[in-house]
Amino acid sequence: MIKLCALLKPDNILLGISASSKKRILELGAQTLSLLYHLDKKAIFDGLNARERLGSTYLGYGLAVPHCRMKNLDQPRALFIRLNDRLENNTESEPIEAFFFLLVPEEETDEHLQILAQISEIFSDKQEREKLKEASTVAEFAEVINQWCAQHSDDKEK
């Protein structure tokens, strides 16, 4: 099983990003994932958009988790974007402060769900969420994720 800390490295964490709409952040996410992992930008954007049309990927706590399954993907890929300002969310009452993008291989249903569960677990913990919000650099943010993973490694391996 791929762990959250294996997916999030300093190269795929962006802090202080401005966006005028959810569509623009999906476009930025698709473009960035495309550049980081040499994937087709249009395929990523189309997959994320199709998933959003099925229902909001808003998790709560100011976090949206746009995700999709992709053909010809060898392993899960991720990108975290924390916004500079909150983005009004038409489908929910709370504004969005951050986006955790997740791409998974088309056939990896179990792994997909396990990663989503890890994302949900760390961001539903108020203390961890505050640490992540307070991290002013990518290195600090990555360290909070790595510490959380180290503390929860036994839980996920059982």
Side-chain angles (χ1 to χ4, degrees), residues 20-22 52 55-65 83 86-99:
S20 57
S21 68
K22 192 171 184 180
E52 287 294 322
S56 174
T57 58
Y58 183 71
L59 178 67
Y61 316 107
L63 178 72
V65 188
L83 301 176
R86 295 171 161 206
L87 185 63
E88 289 307 312
N89 187 358
N90 297 339
T91 59
E92 305 294 335
S93 58
E94 299 176 4
I96 301 173
E97 299 173 357
F99 290 82

Side-chain angles (χ1 to χ4, degrees), residues 38-57:
H38 310 288
L39 301 169
D40 183 296
K41 178 174 75 170
K42 184 178 180 338
I44 296 169
F45 181 74
D46 290 348
L48 294 171
N49 239 354
R51 173 57 188 87
E52 287 294 322
R53 281 193 300 272
L54 292 175
S56 174
T57 58

